[in-house]
Amino acid sequence: MKAHRRQFVRLAGATAALLALSPRARAQAYPARPLRWVVGFPAGGGADIVSRIMAPWLSERLGQPVVVENKPGASSNISIQAVVNSPPDGYTLLFVPASAAVNVTLFETLPFNLLRDIAPVSGLIDFPLVMVANPSLPAKTIPDLVAHAKANPGKISIASFVTGSTSHVAGELFKMMTGVNMIHVPYRGGAAMVADLMGGQVQVGLDVLTGSLAHIHRARCARWRSPGRPDPTRCRMSPPSARRWRDMRRIRGAASA
């Protein structure tokens, strides 16, 4: 973990040194004022948790506050547009989720070009998607869930944290591969999805492990695993096959020095 953090700081620092700044900005050391860290999901979800862990750590090393700003909506497109519309001065950072890549195929037109308008700063995190369930669900393994869903077509709900997100796409892939008919229930963020999952409003959901890990450890929601695998959390889960990446970017300006 320490090696990853050191690499992140080196990359962020190197990029900061090469940021395309206006002549006035070049006259002063960077950064000379607080930075914005824009996140395209609501507070409490995996993206927000990671951002709020990393922001103070980055702030300590840059010597300026790094303020996390949540701009949820349109599967992270609103946050991307907000950063694209910001001045290209190096003071606005964007948390880029995997859904930003998915959006290119899901939306007919987008008011921005991610590769053209946003410059990469650093890779940030790579973690699995996890299938979680309300403990009252009678299924105890993935095969049990598939059998239960096939015996009750159109009656079992499967939630995602945002329409068009990797959570949503992974759920559709699961349904396609297993041939089950489950009802997709989209949310506006992982925190709201997990809250309803624990409350029994939905039965199954796909979340990033960061967002659900605390609840899994407290056995507030079940996660499946393969039979015979050690289970220190007292929950149940199958090995996840979908993974999700996140990185940090800034708005593009003039060519780097």
Side-chain angles (χ1 to χ4, degrees):
M1 182 61 182
K2 290 182 179 178
H4 289 304
R5 288 186 172 182
R6 286 196 296 268
Q7 182 184 25
F8 174 76
V9 146
R10 286 197 299 269
L11 290 169
T15 302
L18 295 175
L19 289 176
L21 304 176
S22 66
R24 179 178 297 178
R26 289 194 189 99
Q28 54 189 345
Y30 176 90
R33 54 186 171 85
L35 289 81
R36 296 168 64 210
W37 182 321
V38 181
V39 181
F41 297 92
D48 183 70
I49 291 170
V50 170
S51 297
R52 294 184 187 278
I53 290 173
M54 294 301 299
W57 177 81
L58 183 60
S59 174
E60 181 182 346
R61 284 151 181 78
L62 294 180
Q64 289 288 343
V66 179
V67 181
V68 176
E69 184 176 328
N70 298 89
K71 285 189 172 294
S75 190
S76 78
N77 285 335
I78 290 176
S79 64
I80 297 172
Q81 187 65 57
V83 174
V84 169
N85 291 340
S86 300
D89 55 10
Y91 286 90
T92 303
L93 302 174
L94 173 67
F95 186 98
V96 181
S99 56
V102 176
N103 290 343
V104 177
T105 61
L106 294 182
F107 289 81
E108 194 169 326
T109 58
L110 290 171
F112 54 80
N113 183 310
L114 192 66
L115 297 179
R116 179 196 65 204
D117 299 330
I118 301 291
V121 173
S122 172
L124 191 59
I125 191 168
D126 175 13
F127 45 32
L129 286 169
V130 58
M131 179 172 278
V132 289
N134 185 284
S136 65
L137 193 72
K140 303 305 179 186
T141 65
I142 290 292
D144 285 350
L145 173 63
V146 173
H148 183 62
K150 286 185 175 180
N152 298 274
K155 296 180 181 179
I156 309 301
S157 56
I158 181 168
S160 71
F161 47 72
V162 171
T163 298
S165 65
T166 48
S167 170
H168 180 191
V169 173
E172 295 302 319
L173 178 63
F174 175 78
K175 292 193 291 182
M176 181 180 71
M177 293 178 67
T178 57
V180 297
N181 177 13
M182 300 173 71
I183 304 301
H184 174 231
V185 181
Y187 282 83
R188 293 194 53 164
M193 181 192 75
V194 173
D196 273 6
L197 187 71
M198 292 188 296
Q201 282 75 29
V202 289
Q203 293 148 302
V204 178
L206 281 157
D207 193 17
V208 292
L209 186 58
T210 308
S212 288
L213 188 60
H215 304 296
I216 292 169
H217 277 295
R218 293 180 177 88
R220 291 173 177 169
C221 58
R223 65 184 186 113
W224 285 294
R225 64 176 175 84
S226 295
R229 185 176 174 182
D231 190 8
T233 65
R234 295 179 291 119
C235 296
R236 300 168 293 276
M237 176 173 230
S238 72
S241 60
R243 298 189 68 85
R244 181 181 171 84
W245 52 263
R246 313 281 184 92
D247 68 11
M248 178 186 287
R249 300 195 175 207
R250 60 175 174 84
I251 183 172
R252 285 194 185 274
S256 298

